[in-house]
Amino acid sequence: MMPLVSIITPSWNVEGLIEETIRSVQDQTFADWELLIADDCSTDRTPAIIAAIGERDPRVKLIRQARNGGPALARQASIDAAQGRYLAFLDSDDLWLPAKLERQLAFAREKQAALSYTAFRRIDETNTVTGRLIEVPASLTYDQLLKNTAIATLTALVDREIAGPVVMKNEGYDDFCLWLSILKRGHTAYGLNEDLARYRVRGSSVSSRPARSAKWVWQIYRNVEQLSPIRSAWCFAHWSARAWLKRREF
């Protein structure tokens, strides 16, 4: 039988963290899932660790990328192999709390949500919680998301039967591009304001530099969404303020 939920995970050189990430999925109270980890040509033991766990638990599946192409292409490789109706996103250094899938699936079904997301807390590399709960708005439209940072990748759940095609763009903040593409079709995203995930802050993570993140968002406004300079500036001002507040809460 096909799993109900396919979990999309890119990995690269996370031998010290990937086993704990996988365990947080295996500890879910909802068990009808597959975990598709697309390894982006790691040079450490990451692929071997994933493969060994997959031998013991066939729900954990290793996809080997032919060449290093970044997280967007790795996510797309997992999406292409996914069998589930629902796509959940979890990066290889982040964690879920045990009730995450069960609670969010019930919420998404109740709302008939093409896209849903949850609250979360930050942790450091030693798993120490480093900030207060990052709460989320009850809902977001396309226009609202353009000015918001609320949908963290590790909290996102997409219902493919409602959302339509799920295609990553090979851009910085490929996840933000995906959420916008879904909502641009007329859908509304719904937020479950419960503490269900742990976002790990690492200095080496792809999105850990504020200036680079801001540059990526501006490029999305202008090059992907093709907003006018005035509208881009308006959205960027709101996005920047929310991003600053989120980092300040850290």
Side-chain angles (χ1 to χ4, degrees):
M1 294 180 62
M2 291 190 298
L4 183 63
V5 179
S6 296
I7 303 161
I8 308 303
T9 300
S11 69
W12 183 74
N13 286 357
V14 284
E15 63 180 3
L17 298 170
I18 188 63
E19 189 168 0
E20 187 175 13
T21 297
I22 295 171
R23 190 180 311 117
S24 80
V25 176
Q26 292 174 317
D27 288 344
Q28 291 296 300
T29 55
F30 178 87
D32 188 13
W33 51 260
E34 62 176 350
L35 174 57
L36 301 161
I37 307 176
D39 186 74
D40 202 23
C41 300
S42 291
T43 57
D44 63 4
R45 295 184 58 254
T46 300
I49 293 170
I50 299 166
I53 295 173
E55 289 179 2
R56 301 190 298 270
D57 185 345
R59 297 174 299 175
V60 179
K61 302 171 184 179
L62 171 64
I63 300 170
R64 294 179 181 269
Q65 293 290 81
R67 60 178 180 271
N68 181 276
L73 296 182
R75 287 189 180 107
Q76 190 62 53
S78 291
I79 291 168
D80 290 342
Q83 300 181 73
R85 169 177 172 173
Y86 293 89
L87 299 181
F89 292 79
L90 177 65
D91 284 350
S92 55
D93 53 355
D94 295 334
L95 305 172
W96 285 345
L97 274 61
K100 195 268 186 186
L101 281 180
E102 181 179 3
R103 292 289 303 125
Q104 192 171 6
L105 275 169
F107 175 78
R109 286 165 163 166
E110 175 189 344
K111 295 291 187 180
Q112 298 185 11
L115 171 63
S116 63
Y117 51 96
T118 79
F120 65 96
R121 293 182 189 271
R122 296 185 180 93
I123 56 173
D124 62 18
E125 296 191 54
T126 66
N127 288 352
T128 302
V129 173
T130 55
R132 69 180 183 87
L133 180 68
I134 306 301
E135 298 182 333
V136 293
S139 63
L140 287 167
T141 63
Y142 171 78
D143 287 337
Q144 291 169 331
L145 182 59
L146 284 170
K147 299 177 286 186
N148 210 298
T149 64
I151 304 180
T153 307
L154 77 161
T155 75
L157 182 71
V158 175
D159 184 340
R160 291 201 282 186
E161 288 190 7
I162 299 175
V166 177
V167 180
M168 309 302 304
K169 290 186 180 293
N170 194 14
E171 299 275 349
Y173 275 165
D174 55 298
D175 50 348
F176 187 46
C177 288
L178 177 58
W179 318 146
L180 288 171
S181 73
I182 292 172
L183 300 190
K184 199 171 185 177
R185 299 167 192 160
H187 299 299
T188 297
Y190 291 95
L192 175 60
N193 206 20
E194 294 184 12
D195 180 15
L196 295 171
R198 295 289 179 266
Y199 171 73
R200 192 183 304 276
V201 178
R202 295 194 297 148
S204 60
S205 65
V206 171
S207 59
S208 61
R209 300 174 187 174
R212 181 170 58 181
S213 298
K215 179 181 178 181
W216 285 345
V217 169
W218 181 259
Q219 290 173 339
I220 290 169
Y221 291 154
R222 298 291 289 130
N223 302 333
V224 179
E225 300 305 311
Q226 298 184 337
L227 305 183
S228 69
I230 293 175
R231 190 180 181 195
S232 295
W234 175 252
C235 292
F236 187 75
H238 286 271
W239 181 92
S240 298
R242 288 188 169 97
W244 180 81
L245 286 172
K246 184 180 285 188
R247 288 183 180 277
R248 187 169 177 263
E249 290 168 359
F250 175 77

